[in-house]
Amino acid sequence: MTEPPFVLVGTGGEGEPQFEASFAADPSAISPVRRRLRMLLRENGLEHVADDVALICQELMSNAVQHGCLGLPASTTLKIIVVWSDARLRAVVHDPSEEKPTEQYSSCSRTSGRGLRLVDELSDRWGVETPPDGSGKAVWTELDSPKRRAS
């Protein structure tokens, strides 16, 4: 699979750096995005949260591929946007499904279904937004004070 396009858009609002990547709805497309995001966060002074943010984003991207693109071709394109400042880091993954994700209850016999619980534990908050035009959903997560956060 070819490497997805990565864009450091420059700044979001109020001088916030922004990372954006489009990727195919294929599990093999997630790792390159995660690696590039982690590297970019480290390059921008966020090395102490880079691993956690990359893991959170991997979970959101995996959920989007596995559940948000169920029945769609692997060529379906998804998008992740990550914006950060001293006050906040926000990551958003867009997918074409309007179905909202739900946390699964833990079980010793389950081998999957723990992703949103992990997102909840590592984030300060997360949620889902659905645009009124019915064009899918955006699952987002936020971390407060990412530069001062201890890992």
Side-chain angles (χ1 to χ4, degrees):
M1 172 162 283
T2 61
E3 289 282 314
F6 302 104
V7 179
L8 177 59
V9 176
T11 58
E14 300 178 28
E16 298 176 354
Q18 184 175 15
F19 169 84
E20 181 176 325
S22 294
F23 60 100
D26 182 318
S28 67
I30 296 170
S31 290
V33 175
R34 175 189 168 148
R35 283 192 304 272
R36 180 63 182 113
L37 174 59
R38 184 174 50 226
M39 183 173 66
L40 185 66
L41 291 170
R42 287 179 174 163
E43 290 170 357
N44 282 273
L46 294 169
E47 55 279 335
H48 54 287
V49 296
D51 290 339
D52 285 351
V53 171
L55 181 57
I56 291 167
C57 290
Q58 175 183 315
E59 292 299 332
L60 295 181
M61 290 185 292
S62 294
N63 281 348
V65 168
Q66 186 175 14
H67 303 292
C69 295
L70 193 62
L72 297 175
S75 61
T76 302
T77 302
L78 305 173
K79 183 183 284 190
I80 180 171
I81 298 173
V82 183
V83 179
W84 63 92
S85 67
D86 289 342
R88 179 181 65 136
L89 181 143
R90 180 177 172 94
V92 183
V93 175
H94 299 267
D95 74 56
S97 173
E98 293 179 39
E99 186 174 335
K100 293 185 178 184
T102 56
E103 281 187 63
Q104 302 294 315
Y105 293 99
S106 294
S107 167
C108 295
S109 61
R110 294 185 69 160
T111 58
S112 65
R114 296 181 182 96
L116 288 178
R117 187 169 303 276
L118 182 82
V119 169
D120 189 54
E121 289 293 321
L122 294 174
S123 303
D124 288 310
R125 69 201 136 269
W126 70 275
V128 182
E129 297 169 352
T130 52
D133 65 1
S135 60
K137 69 177 171 295
V139 182
W140 57 268
T141 181
E142 294 180 341
L143 281 75
D144 294 329
S145 304
K147 288 195 174 186
R148 293 191 304 259
R149 195 177 186 104
S151 54

